[in-house]
Amino acid sequence: MAADSIKGFLVVVLAFMLASEAFLREVNAAGECGKTPIKSAAASLSPCLSAAGNAQAKVPPTCCTKVGALIKTTPKCLCAVLLSPLAKQAGIKPAIAITIPKRCNISNRPAGKKCGRYTLP
């Protein structure tokens, strides 16, 4: 069952990446994720999918590691990924996803910073 869920998720992510190519090029031009294409940054956060859609879900350690690294290197990228159409299409709820750094106990998270209409806790 877990393998089917992962395969299904990967198919959905791939489909949304292809469908959102024009938007992704525009965001890449803005450089929110540095030299990393936003779709690559989004794909790296795939371990966070369940926690990004459910505030009660346990955040996997792999997710915390990926989010912590992203905050350390390019904190604006996390916001760009969370607010992207790709994230919305994947079922990510920004109001919940924005709580992941706190749920991971990431000490250097940009608490109080705005991410669209959301504020990092």
Side-chain angles (χ1 to χ4, degrees), residues 5 9 13 45-54 57 60 63 87 90-93 100:
S5 298
F9 168 72
V13 168
L45 296 176
S46 62
C48 303
L49 189 62
S50 62
N54 179 353
C63 170
I92 292 171
K93 298 175 183 166
I100 289 175

Side-chain angles (χ1 to χ4, degrees), residues 34-106:
K35 293 181 180 182
T36 303
I38 194 167
K39 61 184 175 183
S40 297
S44 77
L45 296 176
S46 62
C48 303
L49 189 62
S50 62
N54 179 353
Q56 305 306 315
K58 184 175 189 229
V59 182
T62 307
C63 170
C64 293
T65 300
K66 298 284 186 179
V67 169
L70 198 56
I71 287 173
K72 184 177 181 180
T73 58
T74 51
K76 289 182 180 180
C77 183
L78 180 61
C79 186
V81 169
L82 295 180
L83 298 179
S84 71
L86 177 63
K88 183 177 181 179
Q89 293 169 341
I92 292 171
K93 298 175 183 166
I96 295 171
I98 207 78
T99 67
I100 289 175
K102 183 176 182 178
R103 290 162 57 198
C104 288
N105 295 314
I106 296 172

